[in-house]
Amino acid sequence: MAGGFGIESGGVTKDYPGKVTAYVLITCIAAAMGGMIFGYDIGISGGVTSMAPFLKRFFPAVYRKEVLDNSTNQYCKFDSILLTLFTSSLYLAALVASFGASKVTRNLGRRWSMLLGGTIFLCGALMNAAAQNILMLIVGRILLGVGVGFATQSVPLYVSEMAPYKHRGSLNVLFQLSITVGILCANVVNYFTQKMANGEGWRVSLGGAAVPALIIGISAFFLPNTPNSILEKGNPTKAREMLRRIRGVSDCEVEAEFSDIVEASKASKAVKHPWRNLGKRKYRPHLIMSVFIPMFQQLTGINVVMFYAPVLFITIGFGNDASLMSALITGGVIVAATLISVYGTDKWGRRSLFFWGGGLMFIFQVAVASLIGWKFGVTGQVDNLPGWYAIVVVICICIFVSGYAFSWGPLGWLVPSEIFPLEIRSAAQSIVVCVNMLFTFLIAQIFLTMLCHLKFGLFIFFAFFVALMTIFIYLFLPETKNIPIEDMSQVWEEHWYWKKYVVVDGPSFSEKV
Ligand code: BGC
């Protein structure tokens, strides 16, 4: 453990029996598909907002600036508040929806949240595909956002509660994996629809969101509720049976884990105001993590590439086709690198992945800034960009993306979902979603303006935050791999800084065991 700033997993932990049964695997995969609706959206907007027929119809001013006006600084061509609002409105809606989702998740169960999310999302997709004016576009985006808010609130919790603790990391990362598959699918769809002769390809792109919506909606319909959720709703016999079934163990073997869940559930029931509770001193580390982890995830700058890769590549001189092609490549890279974390989170631990990812992102963001700055200067104009140079830029962007994909991408969702005790879990997860969406919104909204003003320095701006967040992890985040969720309090009790907040009078976790 680096610098002794956390507790090494594998310290004093309980050992609940249980394996990855086919049942748990299928339910987790089905639930994780909820990430696809989020990913599809992330990937689709960049390509659509770079399609000329779409711009011409809904954003004629941007279209004129892009096509006709050569005087504008290259970095500023796409700088339009309305255009960015198209991308960002979804995240604002998701932010607001996450609060309603918290209530549904807690009272009706994680499954209903997913079902509701999928259905609302489907309506948004249909509305967007049929859009006749900008109002329909934005209302559609808002409905999609509500769906995303529900899915991101419920899926990570669902998977973390279903998974046996030793495989919680890998199973939870499936959520991020399906986000990235969604992004890749969207990029592929855009690549082809952009070539559609009738200029209506954007409708297919936007309407395509109905496919992941149906997948999550139908899967959620058949999914069982988690044992924790069944217990929260007051049905202990059913909860015990469900736990036994998903762990694939005998009746007596499930006892230890079940009684810990019952304890946690009692504590959770005693809490009438989970929100107010979050303000208590003993939940300080949880509160800080629920704000800083999603905030830092967004400040890696990943969504600059995800939302605006095509626009970004056009800006630095690639043709339309080449820029969508490059977005496709980054989409492929993000899926492949996420697989590293499926394998590595439970093996190497969360902290190692954060450090490696942080290091790679920092180096290659600085490299991208230097490469763009060197050739494009402050005007963004370049005559005849050599092919090899463009390839080097794309490779550096891909390495940055892969650094994110095995670290902050999956861990930005996994770590919060596993550190909250049940009594504050839904409320704290809402904060995670809310902060994540707030920063996603802000970056989507101001990126094009920032690009216009900071130019290539934009990448240095994000590199600074990557350095900061890596230090933050080193100092403040304990290792959580291989620790059962209900025993998580130990990592804070033994942490050099957090122990003064969480240790109340009485024996510490290791003394208790
Ligand atoms: C983030 C998204 C991001 C995506 C990229 C997710 O974990 O929340 O904002 O676009 O990862 O893979």
Side-chain angles (χ1 to χ4, degrees), residues 40-51 182-196 201-206 306-307 310 320-321 324-325 327-328:
Y40 188 86
D41 260 304
I42 295 167
I44 212 73
S45 35
V48 167
T49 49
S50 70
M51 290 180 193
I183 295 175
L184 179 62
C185 292
N187 287 346
V188 174
V189 169
N190 274 342
Y191 185 72
F192 289 106
T193 56
Q194 178 249 155
K195 296 174 192 280
M196 279 170 66
W202 58 270
R203 286 194 194 279
V204 180
S205 290
L206 296 179
M306 292 299 117
F307 294 149
N320 217 318
D321 213 32
L324 279 172
M325 189 67 196
L328 229 163

Side-chain angles (χ1 to χ4, degrees), residues 38 42 176 180 183 297-298 303 306 334 404 409 413 436:
F38 184 26
I42 295 167
Q176 175 70 15
T180 57
I183 295 175
Q297 188 206 51
Q298 290 306 311
N303 279 329
M306 292 299 117
I334 204 167
Y404 168 88
W413 293 107
N436 191 302

